[in-house]
């Protein structure tokens, strides 16, 4: 079964390019982004892994750990990292999971339970559903799931934007409108009645009674 928002992210033990980890222990009290790849040495994924290395400081300052996954062994990941650095100008500076028994991909609903065999015998097309982004909170709950086709590179700036919204709305009773960016106006959450809203926010603009706009809380 595919994971949905609000599900507990499955815990697992796995080998990575930075050693063996227990996923929930590795997350600790942080937020986390797990992004997956169908195979090493694939062109779109090469650009994605390089870009994530470049913008890792943006995740760091938000208290977010990032981790990749590819359905190949970690020793192949090391050679791929050389290509990523050569072609993208940045080498992965975060762990990449080697999912050689497909256990993580299966647990996260990206491959069917019947998948088995040697990863070397499977092509990227065989694993094309392993193209997900999961944002996971400190409570180990799934906060966002994005699924991309192999032919379309992911927009990790959008992932950062969503994390800004998730972290804001986790601590304040607000929602963020379409195309919202950090620092822009927000909407008072529908779960807050007008009396509560006056206590929390004072006044607001309301083009409709159910759209109550206030500056972003700091």
């Amino acid at each position: 079964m595919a994971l949905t928002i609000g599900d507990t992210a499955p815990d697992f033990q796995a080998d990575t390019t930075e050693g063996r980890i227990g996923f929930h222990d590795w997350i600790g009290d942080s937020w986390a982004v797990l992004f997956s790849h169908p195979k090493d040495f694939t062109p779109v994924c090469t650009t994605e892994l390089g870009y994530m290395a470049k913008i890792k400081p943006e995740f760091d300052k938000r208290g977010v750990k990032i981790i990749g996954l590819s359905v190949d062994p970690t020793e192949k990941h090391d050679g791929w990292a050389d290509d990523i650095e050569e072609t993208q100008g940045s080498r992965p500076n975060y762990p990449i999971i080697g999912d050689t028994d497909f256990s993580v991909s299966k647990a996260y609903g990206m491959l069917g339970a019947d998948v088995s065999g040697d990863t070397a015998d499977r092509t990227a097309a065989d694993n094309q559903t392993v193209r997900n982004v999961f944002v996971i909170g400190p409570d180990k709950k799934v906060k966002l799931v994005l699924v991309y086709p192999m032919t379309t590179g992911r927009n990790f700036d959008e992932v950062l934007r969503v994390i800004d919204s998730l972290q804001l709305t986790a601590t304040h009773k607000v929602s963020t409108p379409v195309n919202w960016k950090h620092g822009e106006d927000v909407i008072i959450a529908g779960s807050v009645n007008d009396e509560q809203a006056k206590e929390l926010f004072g006044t607001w603009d309301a083009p409709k009674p159910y759209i109550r706009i206030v500056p972003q809380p700091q």
Side-chain angles (χ1 to χ4, degrees):
M1 293 289 292
L3 290 179
T4 60
I5 290 172
D7 288 346
T8 298
D11 195 13
F12 57 83
Q13 302 283 324
D15 292 324
T16 81
T17 50
E18 296 183 4
R20 191 161 182 84
I21 66 163
F23 189 52
H24 283 191
D25 287 342
W26 177 82
I27 294 174
D29 295 327
S30 300
W31 290 69
V33 173
L34 168 63
F35 64 113
S36 60
H37 306 272
K39 198 109 180 119
D40 288 7
F41 303 100
T42 49
V44 173
C45 296
T46 297
T47 66
E48 293 171 336
L49 288 159
Y51 188 72
M52 280 294 264
K54 291 176 183 175
I55 65 170
K56 183 176 178 291
E58 292 297 320
F59 289 94
D60 292 341
K61 75 182 185 183
R62 290 165 171 82
V64 181
K65 295 180 176 180
I66 58 176
I67 188 166
L69 175 148
S70 180
V71 185
D72 270 320
T74 55
E75 52 266 29
K76 284 190 67 177
H77 296 352
D78 292 334
W80 192 17
D82 292 338
D83 284 5
I84 293 164
E85 183 175 23
E86 179 184 345
T87 62
Q88 307 304 309
S90 294
R91 188 181 189 88
N93 46 9
Y94 47 82
I96 305 173
I97 297 162
D99 193 24
T100 54
D101 62 357
F102 314 108
S103 60
V104 181
S105 296
K106 290 178 182 180
Y108 279 72
M110 297 183 288
L111 287 175
D114 59 338
V115 172
S116 62
D118 188 339
T119 58
D121 295 333
R122 292 178 64 86
T123 66
D126 293 327
N127 301 331
Q128 62 183 298
T129 52
V130 189
R131 287 276 299 156
N132 290 16
V133 179
F134 300 95
V135 175
I136 300 161
D139 58 359
K140 313 305 184 289
K141 300 289 187 182
V142 175
K143 308 299 183 181
L144 173 76
V145 182
L146 297 173
V147 184
Y148 280 75
M150 288 200 303
T151 52
T152 302
R154 285 170 272 200
N155 185 337
F156 289 114
D157 294 337
E158 166 66 2
V159 175
L160 285 169
R161 189 191 75 87
V162 174
I163 288 170
D164 284 341
S165 174
L166 288 168
Q167 293 184 337
L168 176 69
T169 59
T171 55
H172 297 281
K173 295 183 183 299
V174 297
S175 303
T176 57
V178 63
N179 295 333
W180 174 87
K181 296 183 180 64
H182 182 73
E184 296 179 348
D185 289 349
V186 297
I187 299 169
I188 299 172
S191 59
V192 177
N193 63 38
D194 283 353
E195 185 176 337
Q196 294 168 326
K198 287 175 184 176
E199 294 179 4
L200 291 170
F201 303 102
T203 61
W204 56 85
D205 294 327
K208 291 289 183 181
Y210 59 90
I211 307 175
R212 299 168 295 174
I213 301 169
V214 292
Q216 176 186 314
Q218 300 301 315

